[in-house]
């Protein structure tokens, strides 16, 4: 059987031998082994210790040394349909892709932050940021392609994240946020050399011409991204590739042209990575992860600090692409009626916003300036979409059941057989006679919603998620 290393383009092999020297044999050996699978415990929903003590999945996990919530999955079992995945307790994530957020230092901050995940789909880094950022932080999570932005939104909902604004914009259109963000994460589009083992078909797509195109595109994105970082803020750049053009040359270009300084990364990251060969700054600060240096595929990361003393913020409004407004009296009345019948407590109307027919429970700290700026942009969500106003009725969304499951009066724990029926979209019976809405749970964690009607649970699980 042909080995994966034997399929590599000659030009790529020459590049890697130049990069790795004697270690090329270690890389070649690792490339011919099975790709590594991993997962991250979603600390927004469950603590790592609670997960390890309660989940059968934990028996097949090996802890990562650089991420206390990150693990290598030791078997080939499919876990996408497990209760832990369906309820958002875990996110299936390739281990090395956790390195950029673990390198950022965001978990050392002690104040609410404004954060931008510029190239966010499918949502792994957004979820990881949300689990590490200080309370009260707001994450703007952007994806340029609409279909991928919808996947991002679905994952954010499943994870139960309450503090995420999902954008669907070209990076250049985010200039209204100039000098605003404390952290900007750029997981840049790249040639994907670090994913050859996981996705062998990408080998055929590799070329030096594509590397050059990626290099130019990465500089375009970073030129925009660096302008969005506030004075003293951090810019985290990462790729899943190895070549010097998309990694070291991009770092050198940024340091030569803008007032940023390369920052050190934690020792636990250094333990599983190799240093870079940058010209400017400390070579030990920019790091490459390779399949032989730890459990995972491939990654490059560099963390920069903006050394400007002052930056003018650019929040303003001109075109009003889409109206974002606090709800009016009629909408507030409908939401209050829903809350009275189904929730343990009412919403504060000051935190509720209407976008078209949708009602959103905005992240804590979402202010008038952010509201005004958002009207300039294409976006999918502002915090938790609690529901829609349809023909004078309030209809709760799937998002509210996943993000605010603990707020519902009626929580219905499902048996394994009932869970299968629910996932198929079937109705269930109940001994609850009260009218209203409830959340169905597994192990106490929400899976979705139901409408309680005459001892029946009408299934509200989205059709697109049913199996």
């Amino acid at each position: 059987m042909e080995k994966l290393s034997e399929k590599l383009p000659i030009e790529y092999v020459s590049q890697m031998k130049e990069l790795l020297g004697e270690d090329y044999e270690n890389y070649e050996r690792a490339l011919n082994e099975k790709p590594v699978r991993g997962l991250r415990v979603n600390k927004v929903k469950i603590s790592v210790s609670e997960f390890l003590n309660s989940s059968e999945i934990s028996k097949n996990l090996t802890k990562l040394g650089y991420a206390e919530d990150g693990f290598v999955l030791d078997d080939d079992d499919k876990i996408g349909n497990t209760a832990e995945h369906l309820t958002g307790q875990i996110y299936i994530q390739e281990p090395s892709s956790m390195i950029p957020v673990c390198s950022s230092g965001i978990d050392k901050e002690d104040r609410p932050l404004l954060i931008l995940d510029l190239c966010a789909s499918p949502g792994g880094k957004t979820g990881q940021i949300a689990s590490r950022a200080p309370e009260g932080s707001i994450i703007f999570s952007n994806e340029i392609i609409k279909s991928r932005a919808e996947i991002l939104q679905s994952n954010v909902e499943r994870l139960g994240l309450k503090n995420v604004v999902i954008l669907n914009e070209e990076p250049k259109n985010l200039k209204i946020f100039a000098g605003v963000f404390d952290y900007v994460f750029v997981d840049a589009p790249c040639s994907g050399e670090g994913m050859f083992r996981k996705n062998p078909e990408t080998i055929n797509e590799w070329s030096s011409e594509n590397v050059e195109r990626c290099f130019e595109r990465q500089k375009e994105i970073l030129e925009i991204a660096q302008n969005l970082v506030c004075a003293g803020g951090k810019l985290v750049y990462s790729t899943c590739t190895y070549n010097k053009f998309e990694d070291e040359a991009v770092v050198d270009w940024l340091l030569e042209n803008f007032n940023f300084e390369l920052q050190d990364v934690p020792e636990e990251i250094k333990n599983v990575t190799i240093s870079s060969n940058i010209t400017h700054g400390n070579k030990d600060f920019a790091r490459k992860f390779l399949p032989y240096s730890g459990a995972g595929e491939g990654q490059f990361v560099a963390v920069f600090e903006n050394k400007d003393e002052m930056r003018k913020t650019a929040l303003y409004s001109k075109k009003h692409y889409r109206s974002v407004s606090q709800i009016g009296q009629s909408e507030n009345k409908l939401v209050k009626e829903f809350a009275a019948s189904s929730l343990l407590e009412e919403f504060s109307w000051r935190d509720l916003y209407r976008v078209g027919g949708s009602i959103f429970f905005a992240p804590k700290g979402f202010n008038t300036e952010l509201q005004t700026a958002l009207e300039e942009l294409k976006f999918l969500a502002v915090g938790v979409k609690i529901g829609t106003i349809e023909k004078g009725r309030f209809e709760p969304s799937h998002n509210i059941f996943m993000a605010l499951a603990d707020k519902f009066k009626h929580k219905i724990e499902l048996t394994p057989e009932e869970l299968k029926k629910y996932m198929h979209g079937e109705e269930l019976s109940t001994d609850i006679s009260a009218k209203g809405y409830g959340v169905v749970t597994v192990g106490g964690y929400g899976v979705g919603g139901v409408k309680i009607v005459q001892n029946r649970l009408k299934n509200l699980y989205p059709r697109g998620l049913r199996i």
Side-chain angles (χ1 to χ4, degrees), residues 68 72 79 91 105 133 138 144 164 244 337 361 375 392 436 438 458:
E68 57 94 13
V72 174
I79 60 175
Y91 184 91
I138 301 178
I144 186 173
V164 178
K244 62 184 179 182
E337 290 172 354
F361 181 48
E375 292 184 336
K458 297 188 68 173

Side-chain angles (χ1 to χ4, degrees), residues 136-155:
S137 298
I138 301 178
I139 304 166
F140 285 76
S141 191
N142 182 66
E143 171 54 47
I144 186 173
I145 300 172
K146 179 69 178 298
S147 60
R148 287 174 56 83
E150 290 170 348
I151 293 171
L152 169 64
Q153 181 180 21
S154 179
N155 281 322

Side-chain angles (χ1 to χ4, degrees), residues 258-270:
F258 304 99
N259 193 18
F260 280 77
E261 184 177 277
L262 199 59
Q263 301 295 294
D264 201 358
V265 298
E267 284 299 318
E268 54 266 29
I269 299 297
K270 291 180 179 178

Side-chain angles (χ1 to χ4, degrees), residues 35-90:
V36 175
R37 303 174 66 218
L39 63 81
R40 182 178 51 78
V41 176
N42 177 23
K43 294 190 296 182
V44 172
K45 284 238 175 139
I46 186 172
S47 70
V48 174
S49 60
E50 185 180 356
F51 173 79
L52 294 177
N53 290 329
S54 64
S55 172
E56 287 293 316
I57 294 175
S58 64
K59 298 176 181 178
N60 298 316
L61 300 179
T62 300
K63 190 177 182 302
L64 293 172
Y66 52 85
E68 57 94 13
D69 52 353
F71 297 85
V72 174
L73 187 60
D74 296 333
D75 63 21
D76 291 327
D77 290 346
K78 294 183 178 180
I79 60 175
N81 289 332
T82 61
E84 291 89 341
H85 183 266
L86 295 170
T87 57
Q89 296 177 57
I90 60 173

